[in-house]
């Protein structure tokens, strides 16, 4: 993978700024440095006595072997692909990795941005592909989603689960474990391109971590948005009494984003529709974005963000990052994507989760700009992803898709 250095950055962020709305507070996802490199460790063949191979914060307990310490304290922090490989260590590990308790712990503990599911979104090619940020430790069985009953459109992704749409059905699945569930038919018509969000928040407090699916749909011939909600706990749909009639343009754009109890939907105007899932309260967030600067909702360091990118000249791109409920400009970054070229190109911002990175697609290339390191990483070329139109960020989790 190639790395380039960012040219300059303006940072107006204020870590001490108060949150405007209750329930919309920001939080920084803790980074467990040193654990992820264990995903490539061979615990079956390597010497268990080599204590120095482990991160400093993992302390060997009494007379336990290192493999037993790892089993209890490290496995929950590793991606699903690595865990599948480690099932071969022993019968004991195989049983533990397949247990509901480890599934529960891992779905909560492993929250790292792992890659993208993507599709061309054409009638003749709806194959689903996966782009891994680290193919040696992160991945899903290939071909992706071939375990479902039909070819599907990918709609939404949340903490390891995918929401897909078949010809007449919605599916929720875990592409890493091949667990899947068909949802009952909704009461209302959602359309061929529904504005729909999968909402799943793993919790250590409750091993039965249920999920929701929230569809924001237009009322017939009226500029009013209603909300229909599926709950995996009741395995049923219900229509919320809440509605939104204050959008400048009630036309919503495809899937959205879920974080911290709130579903967010992009619109065809400079507004974001927010819906508190538990309280069933809608709200509107204005985007102070320049006309012609298309962007994407994303989750950056635990905070709701809207990121735009613009090709200023040749190989220089300007990235603007808006954050918080007020969506004020927090950072403006000018980066060089090289190599030198004489033409300017349209670019597209791709959503990310639990990361400090910004993803940009330029003529089939995908670049990740890492804010802290101020480096640009090339993660995909046109030969790898072709003319893919839709990208969903993904976390390589063991989360259970069949809970009901």
């Amino acid at each position: 993978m190639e790395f380039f250095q960012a040219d300059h950055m303006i940072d107006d962020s204020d870590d001490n700024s108060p949150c405007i709305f209750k329930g919309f507070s920001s939080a920084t996802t803790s980074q467990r440095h040193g654990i992820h490199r264990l995903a490539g460790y061979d615990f079956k063949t390597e010497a268990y006595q080599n204590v120095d191979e482990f991160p400093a914060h993992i302390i060997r307990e009494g007379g336990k072997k290192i493999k037993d310490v790892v089993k209890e304290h490290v496995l929950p922090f590793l991606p699903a692909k690595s865990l599948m490989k480690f099932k071969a260590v022993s019968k004991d590990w195989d049983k533990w990795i397949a247990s509901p308790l480890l599934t529960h712990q891992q779905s909560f503990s492993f929250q790292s941005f792992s890659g993208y599911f993507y599709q061309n979104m054409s009638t003749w090619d709806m194959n689903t592909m996966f782009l891994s940020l680290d193919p040696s430790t992160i991945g899903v069985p290939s071909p992706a989603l071939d375990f479902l009953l039909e070819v599907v459109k990918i709609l939404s992704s949340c903490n390891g689960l995918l929401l897909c749409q078949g010809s007449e059905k919605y599916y929720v699945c875990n592409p890493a474990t091949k667990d899947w569930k068909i949802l009952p038919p909704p009461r209302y018509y959602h359309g061929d391109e529904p504005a729909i969000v999968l909402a799943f928040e793993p919790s250590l407090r409750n091993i039965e971590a249920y999920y929701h699916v929230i569809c924001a749909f237009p009322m017939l011939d009226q500029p009013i948005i209603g909300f229909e909600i599926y709950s995996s706990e009741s395995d049923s749909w219900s229509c919320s009494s809440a509605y939104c009639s204050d959008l400048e343009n009630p036309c919503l754009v495809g899937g959205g984003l879920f974080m911290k109890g709130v579903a967010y939907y992009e619109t065809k105007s400079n507004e974001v529709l927010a819906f508190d899932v538990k309280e069933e309260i809608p709200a509107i967030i204005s985007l102070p974005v320049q006309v012609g600067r298309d962007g994407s909702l994303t989750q950056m360091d635990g905070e709701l963000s809207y990121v735009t990118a613009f090709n200023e000249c040749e190989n220089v791109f300007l990235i603007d990052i808006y954050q918080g409920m007020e969506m004020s400009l927090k950072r403006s970054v000018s980066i060089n994507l090289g190599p030198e070229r004489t033409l300017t190109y349209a670019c597209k911002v791709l959503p990310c989760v639990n990361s400090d990175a910004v993803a940009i697609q330029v003529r089939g290339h995908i670049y990740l700009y890492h804010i802290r390191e101020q480096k640009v990483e090339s993660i995909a070329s046109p030969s790898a992803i072709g003319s893919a139109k839709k990208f969903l960020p993904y976390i390589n989790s063991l989360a259970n898709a069949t809970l009901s």
Side-chain angles (χ1 to χ4, degrees):
M1 296 183 179
E2 298 179 78
F3 288 86
F4 309 97
Q5 196 71 26
D7 289 347
H8 67 271
M9 176 170 68
I10 301 172
D11 190 344
D12 297 321
S13 60
D14 181 3
D15 293 336
N16 297 316
S17 59
C19 178
I20 295 180
F21 295 108
K22 181 180 180 181
F24 288 80
S25 61
S26 63
T28 302
T29 303
S30 61
Q31 301 296 316
R32 300 172 176 87
H33 297 291
I35 286 185
H36 295 311
R37 68 190 183 94
L38 290 176
Y41 196 89
D42 186 350
F43 291 102
K44 190 172 183 179
T45 60
E46 295 287 348
Y48 294 132
Q49 288 74 27
N50 194 358
V51 180
D52 292 337
E53 289 292 325
F54 289 84
H57 65 282
I58 298 178
I59 303 174
R60 192 175 184 182
E61 301 176 357
K64 282 188 177 181
K65 293 182 179 180
I66 290 180
K67 65 174 182 178
D68 295 325
V69 177
V70 170
K71 172 188 165 186
E72 296 177 16
H73 300 290
V74 178
L75 293 190
F77 298 96
L78 299 184
K81 179 178 178 179
S82 296
L83 292 174
M84 294 300 105
K85 292 192 300 182
F86 291 158
K87 294 179 75 172
V89 169
S90 66
K91 290 183 179 180
D92 185 44
W93 276 41
D94 179 47
K95 183 178 179 180
W96 171 239
I97 292 172
S99 70
L101 182 56
L102 189 277
T103 294
H104 169 64
Q105 293 176 346
Q106 193 268 355
S107 64
F108 176 83
S109 302
F110 182 80
Q111 295 288 316
S112 297
F113 175 38
S114 305
Y116 287 103
F117 279 94
Y118 61 94
Q119 286 181 330
N120 289 335
M121 301 300 293
S122 61
T123 56
W124 54 271
D125 184 7
M126 288 293 292
N127 290 329
T128 303
M129 307 295 289
F130 178 64
L131 172 64
S132 175
L133 296 186
D134 184 0
S136 64
T137 63
I138 294 172
V140 300
S142 181
L145 307 188
D146 69 334
F147 53 89
L148 297 178
L149 301 179
E150 58 184 315
V151 176
V152 296
K153 289 194 293 187
I154 54 175
L155 299 178
S156 182
S157 172
C158 190
N159 287 315
L161 299 182
L162 287 186
L163 173 67
C164 306
Q165 184 182 36
S167 57
E168 297 179 349
K169 305 180 182 72
Y170 286 127
Y171 297 82
V172 172
C173 68
N174 184 321
T177 63
K178 296 188 177 182
D179 289 336
W180 58 278
K181 176 183 177 66
I182 296 177
L183 304 192
R187 301 177 185 178
Y188 291 84
Y189 177 66
H190 293 175
D192 294 331
E193 299 292 337
I196 196 162
V197 172
L198 176 62
F200 174 56
E201 285 185 313
S203 169
L204 279 181
R205 297 178 181 177
N206 187 2
I207 193 169
E208 294 181 326
Y210 297 107
Y211 55 84
H212 294 84
V213 175
I214 308 97
C215 182
F217 63 94
M219 300 292 190
L220 290 176
D221 301 322
Q222 299 181 51
I224 299 175
I225 301 297
F227 302 91
E228 189 170 16
I229 305 169
Y230 168 81
S231 168
S232 67
E233 183 175 11
S234 63
D235 193 29
S236 63
W237 292 87
S238 62
C239 189
S240 173
S241 60
Y243 61 89
C244 179
S245 59
D246 299 323
L247 285 172
E248 180 181 323
N249 185 340
C251 187
L252 305 180
V253 182
L257 171 72
F258 175 81
M259 61 176 291
K260 297 180 182 176
V262 181
Y264 299 94
Y265 306 84
E266 294 186 49
T267 71
K268 290 192 175 180
S269 59
N270 276 7
E271 294 175 316
V272 173
L273 173 61
F275 183 75
D276 187 306
V277 178
K278 182 178 180 180
E279 303 298 332
E280 298 190 12
I281 299 175
I284 297 175
I285 303 171
S286 297
L287 295 175
V289 180
Q290 297 182 36
V291 177
R293 298 283 180 91
D294 293 331
S296 176
L297 281 175
T298 188
Q299 184 178 358
M300 184 174 293
D301 283 339
E303 188 170 358
L304 177 68
S305 306
Y306 189 81
V307 180
T308 65
F310 179 74
N311 191 185
E312 287 188 300
C313 62
E314 298 178 350
N315 57 334
V316 178
F317 290 75
L318 177 65
I319 298 173
D320 288 334
I321 302 173
Y322 302 83
Q323 290 184 320
M325 294 305 298
E326 73 284 2
M327 280 296 170
S328 60
L329 181 63
K330 296 292 184 176
R331 296 180 176 91
S332 188
V333 186
S334 181
I335 60 176
N336 188 321
L337 295 184
E340 295 291 339
R341 48 177 168 255
T342 58
L343 300 175
T344 58
Y345 296 118
C347 57
K348 177 182 178 181
V349 177
L350 305 182
C352 295
V353 290
N354 298 339
S355 172
D356 77 326
V358 174
I360 306 174
Q361 183 183 18
V362 182
R363 289 178 60 86
H365 294 272
I366 297 180
Y367 302 93
L368 280 182
Y369 170 67
H370 300 273
I371 299 290
R372 294 190 187 93
E373 299 177 11
Q374 298 187 35
K375 289 184 179 179
V376 179
E377 176 186 4
S378 174
I379 64 171
S381 64
S383 60
I385 62 172
S387 57
K389 298 293 191 302
K390 183 163 189 174
F391 292 82
L392 291 182
Y394 168 70
I395 294 172
N396 201 204
S397 168
L398 295 177
N400 191 345
T402 59
L403 274 179
S404 61

